[in-house]
């Protein structure tokens, strides 16, 4: 790290000394120098943010990884003695991934109902929620975006209405839908049904999915709408002149041109859904087959930090892998669109 | 339709009329779709407000109008005897969200300026890191923070919630501001420099006023994100420092073992109305802010 000013960093002085004897070289050196000074300014401006992020994210994550290789404090099932941690190797990971719990004679599969037995079901539930909610949100979101993109009287009312579910805190949304799906609630009254919505697996999951779709479809719709508005109107006019039907225009123009924005929107929603916590935690508390990975981590924290750390690390890795697949193979290049979108835009 | 079949004989006129009918039908369909979307988005919200004002004995009344109107639910929601610290929770949320927003903006503005305006090596990497941080799962940091804050006696303190909140809000701030800043007419700054302004003057007099709306919009988004946080607050707060989202999730009613629906809806209304008003007033800006980072 060289913090002192290099002699070449003062372009004005050096340029005047050199005169104009070699313009080409001078220009190149100037540009290089400009990048260097800008780089230094950028470092100064960005460093605080990176340091803050390192403290609030990187440090806890590294800490979590270290913790995940320690034994939990507690009674040792084999000896009946109180133990205070110590290096555990990968046993916490084995505990979750292979659902192995300590027994008096070593380890065996975790008894049903314990947290240790729930890893794979929680993973399944998390992916189930993610796939189903993102599917419906994309479908409805696209439809809403297509309607919002049209010009008609009262369009601003529609745009305002769409922001309301987004603005309501998720905790309130959860309580609101819990009330709507109550046994004597409005849904059962309207449909003359008597379903215990949060009392059994299928209905509980359906209730959570409906609440999530209600809350987050508007966000999806707005992202897709922004993508739609970047498509120049002339393209549609040209297609109309050429006699393309509405369906053809949608399939051959709208869909491919909106794809970059759509993929970024789906990526955002998928990563959000994979960490879903508030809705199921408040609506069902994770009962009846609605325990997501995040709920499992929080439940585990109260029992043992270190195995909770292992579980949260696994969750993080799962989300990272999904994000990687999206960016690498499905073309959801959020970074590229953030850094100017040179490739994404000018197709 | 009848005009098309009876009075018009020429082919072109017929085609024109058919086109017009089709257009009318299309616009009718647009209105029907828009109405469905508006009702779907607003009906649960409306139901919350109706219930908030309904006498507790009529909690499950299915009339969609304001009947049996009372303020009692709001009294219950704020009632200290039942342990519903909603007033305190509102102040807590206001404080935590404000500090988080200010800190995130303080750091975010500089980083975003550099990312939008300067050329330097590793820009791509920094953007990727910040974007990655914004998609980071909260549960991945909550375990070590719980242990760390437990060890240093921070559980139930404001800083224990503000610091993790910054980790969610700061990346969002940088990301949104960067795309706003990229669209700004930076040539004006250079023009001011040529006219004899110092860099500092140019920034203060030209750029800051131009950037103010973007910063303000980002502040609203950051504030809402922080206001809505639940996971961290539910684990790291105590009765005195809990935020509104936690308070609502843990509401107690006057009857034991019975969900105090009407009081919860009243609390939900109190917590949501300011947000909804804020969002509706700054509608255009918020939509711009929400989508700026993602698709531009």
């Amino acid at each position: 790290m060289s913090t002192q000013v290099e002699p070449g960093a003062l372009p004005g002085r050096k340029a005047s000394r050199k005169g104009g004897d070699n313009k080409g070289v001078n220009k190149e050196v100037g540009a290089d120098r400009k990048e260097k000074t800008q780089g230094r300014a950028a470092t100064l401006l960005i460093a605080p943010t990176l340091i803050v992020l390192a403290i609030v994210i990187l440090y806890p994550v590294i800490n979590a990884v270290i913790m995940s290789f320690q034994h939990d404090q507690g009674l040792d099932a084999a000896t009946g003695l109180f133990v205070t941690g110590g290096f555990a190797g990968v046993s916490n990971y084995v505990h979750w991934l292979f659902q192995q719990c300590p027994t008096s004679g070593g380890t065996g599969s975790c008894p049903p109902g314990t947290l240790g037995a729930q890893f794979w079901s929680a993973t399944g539930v998390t992916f189930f929620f993610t796939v189903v909610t993102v599917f419906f949100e994309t479908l409805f979101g696209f439809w809403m975006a297509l309607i919002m993109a049209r010009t008609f009287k009262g369009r601003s009312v529609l745009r305002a209405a769409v922001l309301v579910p987004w603005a309501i805190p998720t905790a309130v949304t959860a309580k609101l839908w819990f009330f709507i799906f109550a046994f004597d609630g409005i849904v059962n009254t309207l449909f003359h049904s008597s379903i215990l919505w949060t009392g059994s697996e299928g209905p509980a999951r359906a209730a959570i999915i409906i609440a999530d779709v209600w809350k987050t479809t508007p966000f999806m719709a707005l992202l897709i709408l922004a993508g739609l508005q970047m498509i120049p109107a002339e393209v549609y006019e040209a297609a109309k002149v050429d006699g393309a039907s509405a369906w053809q225009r949608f399939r051959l123009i709208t869909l491919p041109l909106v794809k970059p924005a759509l993929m970024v929107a789906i990526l955002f929603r998928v990563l959000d859904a994979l960490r879903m916590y508030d809705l199921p935690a408040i609506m069902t508390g994770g009962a009846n087959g609605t325990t997501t990975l995040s709920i499992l981590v929080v439940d585990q924290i109260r029992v043992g930090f270190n195995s909770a750390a292992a579980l949260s690390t696994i969750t993080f890795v799962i989300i990272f892998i999904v994000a990687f697949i999206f960016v690498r193979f499905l073309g959801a290049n959020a970074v590229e669109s953030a850094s100017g979108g040179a490739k994404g835009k000018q197709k | 339709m009848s005009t098309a079949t009876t009075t018009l004989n020429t082919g072109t006129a017929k085609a024109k009329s058919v086109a017009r009918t089709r257009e009318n039908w299309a616009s009718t369909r647009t209105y029907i779709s828009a109405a469905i979307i508006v009702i779907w988005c607003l009906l649960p919200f409306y139901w919350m407000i109706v219930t908030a004002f309904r006498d507790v004995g009529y909690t499950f009344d299915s009339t969609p109008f304001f009947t049996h109107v009372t303020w009692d639910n709001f009294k219950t929601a704020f009632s200290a005897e039942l342990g519903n610290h909603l007033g305190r929770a509102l102040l807590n949320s206001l404080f935590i969200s404000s500090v988080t927003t200010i800190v995130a903006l303080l750091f975010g503005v500089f980083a975003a300026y550099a990312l939008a305006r300067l050329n330097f090596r590793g820009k791509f990497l920094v953007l990727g890191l910040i974007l990655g941080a914004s998609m980071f799962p909260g549960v991945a940091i909550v375990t070590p923070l719980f242990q760390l804050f437990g060890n240093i006696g921070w559980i139930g303190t404001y800083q224990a919630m503000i610091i993790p909140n910054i980790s969610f809000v700061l990346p969002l701030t940088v990301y949104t501001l960067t795309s706003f800043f990229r669209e700004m007419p930076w040539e004006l700054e250079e023009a001011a420099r040529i006219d004899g302004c110092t860099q500092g003057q140019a920034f203060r007099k030209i750029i800051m006023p131009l950037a103010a709306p973007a910063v303000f919009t980002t502040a609203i988004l950051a504030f809402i994100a922080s206001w809505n946080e639940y996971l961290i607050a539910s684990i790291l707060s105590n009765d005195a420092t809990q935020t509104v989202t936690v308070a609502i999730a843990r509401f107690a009613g006057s009857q034991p073992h019975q969900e105090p629906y009407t009081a919860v809806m009243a609390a939900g209304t109190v917590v949501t109305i300011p947000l909804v008003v804020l969002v509706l007033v700054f509608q255009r800006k918020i939509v711009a802010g929400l989508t700026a980072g993602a698709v531009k």
Side-chain angles (χ1 to χ4, degrees):
Chain A
M1 281 282 278
S2 67
T3 42
Q4 75 220 92
V5 181
E6 286 164 33
L10 297 165
R13 200 200 293 168
K14 194 144 192 200
S16 64
R17 204 196 304 153
K18 254 198 168 176
D21 48 30
N22 196 333
K23 265 187 182 168
V25 172
N26 214 13
K27 210 175 176 184
E28 212 167 79
V29 170
D32 190 40
R33 224 177 269 149
K34 196 176 173 196
E35 187 161 303
K36 253 185 200 159
T37 49
Q38 289 204 341
R40 207 163 290 139
T43 310
L44 279 175
L45 292 169
I46 291 172
T49 291
L50 290 183
I51 291 167
V52 170
L53 287 181
I55 293 169
V56 294
I57 295 183
L58 198 60
Y59 171 72
V61 167
I62 291 170
N63 224 344
V65 173
I66 294 169
M67 282 166 73
S68 69
F69 292 106
Q70 311 276 320
H71 276 298
D72 275 329
Q73 296 185 339
L75 294 175
D76 190 333
T79 59
L81 295 173
F82 188 80
V83 286
T84 56
F87 184 68
V90 292
S91 69
N92 284 328
Y93 291 94
V94 172
H95 166 66
W96 292 114
L97 295 173
F98 299 99
Q99 310 200 331
Q100 296 292 304
C101 285
T103 57
S104 49
T107 56
S109 49
C110 295
T114 58
L115 293 175
Q118 289 180 37
F119 172 74
W120 288 107
S121 65
T123 308
V125 168
T126 306
F127 275 90
F128 172 76
F129 278 147
T130 303
V131 170
V132 176
T133 57
V134 175
F135 173 78
F136 283 116
E137 284 159 24
T138 310
L139 209 65
F140 295 154
F142 213 126
W143 178 65
M144 281 164 75
L146 287 173
I147 304 290
M148 280 195 283
R150 292 183 193 160
T151 39
F152 59 94
K153 244 190 213 164
R155 186 170 63 156
S156 56
V157 176
L158 174 61
R159 293 198 175 188
V162 154
L163 280 173
V164 169
W166 172 81
I168 298 179
T170 315
V172 177
T173 307
K175 281 289 180 189
L176 173 56
W177 285 92
F178 184 69
F179 170 59
I180 289 172
F181 282 116
F183 184 70
D184 295 321
I186 191 67
V187 169
N188 275 347
T189 308
L190 281 182
F191 296 100
H192 301 291
S193 55
S194 48
I195 301 170
L196 271 168
W197 280 99
T198 49
S200 58
E201 192 174 292
R205 287 182 181 173
I208 289 167
I209 288 165
I210 291 169
D212 193 66
V213 168
W214 179 76
K215 170 149 181 69
T216 45
T217 304
F219 174 71
M220 195 75 158
L222 289 172
L223 290 189
I224 298 170
L225 176 65
L228 286 177
Q229 284 172 336
M230 286 185 349
I231 304 172
E234 301 89 60
V235 183
Y236 286 106
E237 270 154 36
K240 248 185 192 170
V241 170
D242 289 345
S245 70
W247 170 243
Q248 280 174 324
R249 290 198 299 268
F250 177 76
R251 196 168 53 90
L252 299 171
I253 300 174
T254 309
L255 220 46
L257 284 181
V258 87
K259 196 188 156 213
L262 184 66
M263 290 311 293
V264 171
I266 292 175
L267 170 70
F268 278 13
R269 280 302 313 146
V270 163
L271 298 189
D272 225 24
L274 284 174
R275 57 189 174 184
M276 191 194 284
Y277 177 75
D278 309 20
L279 273 180
I282 296 173
M283 283 176 81
T284 63
N288 304 311
T290 55
T291 299
T292 60
L293 282 167
S294 291
I295 293 179
L296 196 59
V297 172
V298 173
D299 286 346
Q300 178 64 35
I301 287 177
R302 302 177 212 281
V303 188
F305 297 141
N306 295 327
S307 43
L311 182 59
S312 71
T313 306
I314 296 172
T315 307
F316 173 51
V317 170
I318 289 174
I319 293 178
F320 181 82
I321 291 171
V322 172
F324 181 79
I325 290 170
F326 260 88
V327 173
R328 183 76 183 75
F329 299 108
L330 297 174
N333 205 334
V335 179
E336 206 157 78
S337 62
S339 67
K343 279 181 198 164
K345 241 195 232 171
Q346 293 157 6
K347 256 189 187 165
Chain B
M1 283 286 271
S2 59
T3 49
T5 46
T6 53
T7 58
L8 301 167
N9 293 317
T10 58
T12 48
K14 214 174 200 173
K16 238 183 210 167
S17 173
V18 166
R20 202 179 304 135
T21 331
R22 200 178 281 165
E23 221 163 74
N24 280 343
W25 171 230
S27 95
T28 313
R29 258 191 338 209
T30 303
Y31 277 110
I32 293 170
S33 308
I36 292 171
I37 296 170
V38 169
I39 291 169
W40 164 247
C41 287
L42 293 188
L43 205 58
F45 177 63
Y46 174 78
W47 197 242
M48 175 166 85
I49 297 170
V50 167
T51 311
F53 283 101
R54 197 165 273 173
D55 188 273
V56 73
Y58 298 90
T59 305
F60 295 111
D61 245 26
S62 53
T63 40
F65 306 106
F66 284 87
T67 51
H68 310 287
V69 174
T70 170
W71 282 97
D72 285 356
N73 302 317
F74 292 90
K75 280 181 205 144
T76 313
F78 282 98
S79 130
E81 302 98 74
L82 296 173
N84 299 331
H85 311 285
L86 188 62
R88 183 73 196 263
L90 278 167
L91 290 178
N92 288 340
S93 276
L94 197 63
F95 177 70
I96 292 169
S97 305
S98 303
V99 175
T100 305
T101 304
I102 292 166
V103 172
L105 280 180
L106 218 59
F107 289 99
V109 165
F110 292 115
Y113 173 85
L115 285 168
R117 181 93 172 93
L118 304 176
N119 275 318
F120 58 93
R121 225 173 288 157
K123 189 164 159 178
F124 210 68
L125 181 72
V126 172
L127 262 170
L129 280 176
I130 288 168
L131 192 64
S134 76
M135 295 176 181
F136 196 78
V139 283
I141 61 170
V142 77
T143 319
L145 287 182
F146 189 70
Q147 197 195 30
L148 174 71
F149 290 168
N151 287 342
I152 59 176
W154 271 21
I155 295 205
T157 62
Y158 291 110
Q159 64 268 31
M161 279 172 280
I162 290 169
I163 289 171
N165 263 4
I166 291 171
S167 77
F168 307 130
V169 172
L170 179 57
L172 181 107
T173 311
V174 175
Y175 195 52
T176 312
L177 278 174
T178 303
S179 51
F180 270 142
F181 283 179
R182 202 175 285 121
E183 314 248 300
M184 276 174 38
W186 292 102
E187 306 80 42
L188 286 180
E189 188 191 43
E190 263 153 40
R193 291 295 301 284
I194 291 165
D195 288 346
C197 274
T198 64
Q199 178 118 39
Q201 276 175 329
F203 190 79
R204 256 204 332 275
K205 289 185 177 162
I206 310 289
I207 292 306
M208 285 235 298
L210 280 173
V215 174
F216 179 71
T217 306
T218 311
I220 296 178
L221 291 177
F223 188 87
I224 289 176
S226 181
W227 184 269
N228 292 353
E229 204 286 321
Y230 175 75
L231 170 66
I232 299 283
S234 74
I235 294 170
L236 298 178
S237 69
N238 60 19
D239 276 357
T241 55
Q242 70 183 2
T243 60
V244 281
T245 50
V246 180
I248 284 175
R250 293 184 185 161
F251 243 55
S254 43
Q255 275 106 357
H257 310 300
Q258 202 173 21
E259 179 79 17
Y261 288 114
T262 49
V264 174
M265 293 304 116
T269 307
V270 171
V271 170
T272 309
I273 293 287
L275 245 60
V276 168
V277 170
L278 196 71
V279 165
L280 295 186
V281 169
F282 299 105
Q283 196 203 126
R284 275 171 187 284
K285 289 186 172 185
I286 285 176
V287 172
L290 270 180
T291 53
V295 287
K296 287 204 176 126

